[in-house]
Amino acid sequence: MKISLDIGRAQLNKAGEELCGDSIEVVRTRSSTIVVLSDGLGSGVKANILSSLTTKTAATMLRMGGEIEEVIETLVQTLPTCRVRKLAYSTFSILQVMAGGRVYLVEYDNPRAFLGHGDRLREISRIRRVINDKEITEAFFDFREGDWLVLISDGVVHAGIGGVLNRGWGWDGVRSFLLELAAKNLDAAAWARELIQRCHQLYAGRPGDDTSVVVVKALAPRKVTVMIGPPMDRSADALVVEKLVRSPGVKVVCGGTTASIVARVLGREIEVDLSTHSDRVPPVGIITGIDLVTEGTLTVLYALEHLRQGVPLEDLQKARDGASRLAVTLLEADLIHFIVGLAVNPAGDCTYKHRTIEQLIRLLRKKGKEVTAEYR
């Protein structure tokens, strides 16, 4: 894997509407990440249904290996053109980033995407094609560390129209603001929030259209090493802890006994963060130099449950308990290495613990993570 993707999104509903007529779908697999942004005709419930159908159909078909011609043909048959307004019921932008950084971008009646590197824009060479009487544009390019790409719905370029800005913000106005954000070196979520907040200001607090933003940033792969359980051979304690400490990226320790070994080898104290206590899992610990210290099997089990249920990352980030924090750490990682201790725990079922870990590894791989494990 050459790059990691940091993806942020933000939306505004049209004033007076409970649902956003735009939809965003992000699907990660082992080989690629697919982002679809769709704008449904009109607003409210009908537009939301149409755009949701578009995003889910396109993302699912591409994930299963479908060609863009098949995707568009399906969408054209499912979402016909409005006979009265002569407009497509749903427009879309589709971004597919392969694990190695190769990018495919297809756009149909949405504003053009912005591509940049650092605080400068990069040109996108687009090719026009007609598929089933629908004109689309396609682009192929490489995404490398430091690059960023922003997808928007037309609510962004229309922001301020008839109010703060007579003709709306426009593509050039959005471009200038994005270059300001690029100079701040923000994460993708912060980019998306700032851009959508500016749209809200330009609309004077009453958006005249559904407004959506997706920011995709290319980063170096994010690495996590997780040590769970003490080694079978106690003489290997120092060796395993040294391997954990020397590993690049985020370092996680799961299990009370394991944490005690790490603290002893490093000559450091273990503190308990009582503010992280919950009804289901014990509070997390604190060891200087270790990014996350949690209880063992129970915490791993509940983290696995969060991942199985597909709890949104944004919700997990708001929680402070050990299971949620472990789930967040794993979801945000690209490369995960487990160091699993094989020592027999008289107080617990080691077979059950190892089975839980194996289930966790399989699930993470299904989510597109590159996962390795060693048993000591």
Side-chain angles (χ1 to χ4, degrees), residues 232-286:
M232 179 180 293
D233 184 354
R234 297 184 63 179
S235 66
D237 287 356
L239 180 65
V240 173
V241 173
E242 182 181 3
K243 183 167 189 175
L244 171 70
V245 173
R246 288 177 176 269
S247 62
V250 176
K251 302 165 184 58
V252 179
V253 172
C254 296
T257 303
T258 312
S260 297
I261 292 172
V262 172
R264 172 173 55 80
V265 172
L266 296 179
R268 298 167 188 169
E269 298 293 326
I270 303 178
E271 298 180 19
V272 178
D273 185 353
L274 295 177
S275 68
T276 63
H277 181 268
S278 75
D279 294 336
R280 300 208 299 177
V281 296
V284 303
I286 301 173

Side-chain angles (χ1 to χ4, degrees), residues 67-137:
E67 298 294 333
I68 191 63
E69 289 86 354
E70 298 173 314
V71 174
I72 293 176
E73 182 178 357
T74 300
L75 294 177
V76 168
Q77 292 176 351
T78 307
L79 303 168
T81 302
C82 175
R83 295 179 180 176
V84 177
R85 298 175 64 181
K86 304 300 181 183
L87 297 172
Y89 269 117
S90 185
T91 65
F92 57 82
S93 302
I94 300 173
L95 176 72
Q96 184 172 29
V97 185
M98 307 306 292
R102 189 62 176 166
V103 174
Y104 172 62
L105 172 68
V106 58
E107 297 164 310
Y108 173 56
D109 277 2
N110 266 352
R112 290 172 294 155
F114 300 84
L115 174 66
H117 180 86
D119 60 357
R120 295 188 178 185
L121 281 184
R122 286 178 56 192
E123 291 295 325
I124 299 178
S125 178
R126 292 173 168 86
I127 303 169
R128 295 189 178 276
R129 293 179 59 194
V130 176
I131 301 177
N132 290 311
D133 298 325
K134 305 295 181 183
E135 184 177 284
I136 66 165
T137 62

Side-chain angles (χ1 to χ4, degrees), residues 77-219:
Q77 292 176 351
T78 307
L79 303 168
T81 302
C82 175
R83 295 179 180 176
V84 177
R85 298 175 64 181
K86 304 300 181 183
L87 297 172
Y89 269 117
S90 185
T91 65
F92 57 82
S93 302
I94 300 173
L95 176 72
Q96 184 172 29
V97 185
M98 307 306 292
R102 189 62 176 166
V103 174
Y104 172 62
L105 172 68
V106 58
E107 297 164 310
Y108 173 56
D109 277 2
N110 266 352
R112 290 172 294 155
F114 300 84
L115 174 66
H117 180 86
D119 60 357
R120 295 188 178 185
L121 281 184
R122 286 178 56 192
E123 291 295 325
I124 299 178
S125 178
R126 292 173 168 86
I127 303 169
R128 295 189 178 276
R129 293 179 59 194
V130 176
I131 301 177
N132 290 311
D133 298 325
K134 305 295 181 183
E135 184 177 284
I136 66 165
T137 62
E138 291 180 305
F140 298 87
F141 52 91
D142 291 319
F143 212 40
R144 58 185 186 274
E145 187 177 343
D147 284 349
W148 50 266
L149 187 140
V150 179
L151 302 176
I152 61 173
S153 67
D154 59 10
V156 177
V157 294
H158 292 163
I161 194 167
V164 177
L165 302 170
N166 286 335
R167 297 183 179 180
W169 202 4
W171 194 88
D172 290 336
V174 179
R175 177 193 60 190
S176 297
F177 187 68
L178 286 175
L179 293 179
E180 292 179 24
L181 293 179
K184 296 181 179 181
N185 195 30
L186 304 171
D187 63 26
W191 270 51
R193 284 195 303 271
E194 291 216 16
L195 183 53
I196 215 73
Q197 286 169 3
R198 177 57 63 89
C199 292
H200 193 260
Q201 293 171 355
L202 293 175
Y203 277 123
R206 290 189 58 79
D209 195 2
D210 298 301
T211 307
S212 298
V213 174
V214 183
V215 178
V216 183
K217 299 186 70 178
L219 311 172

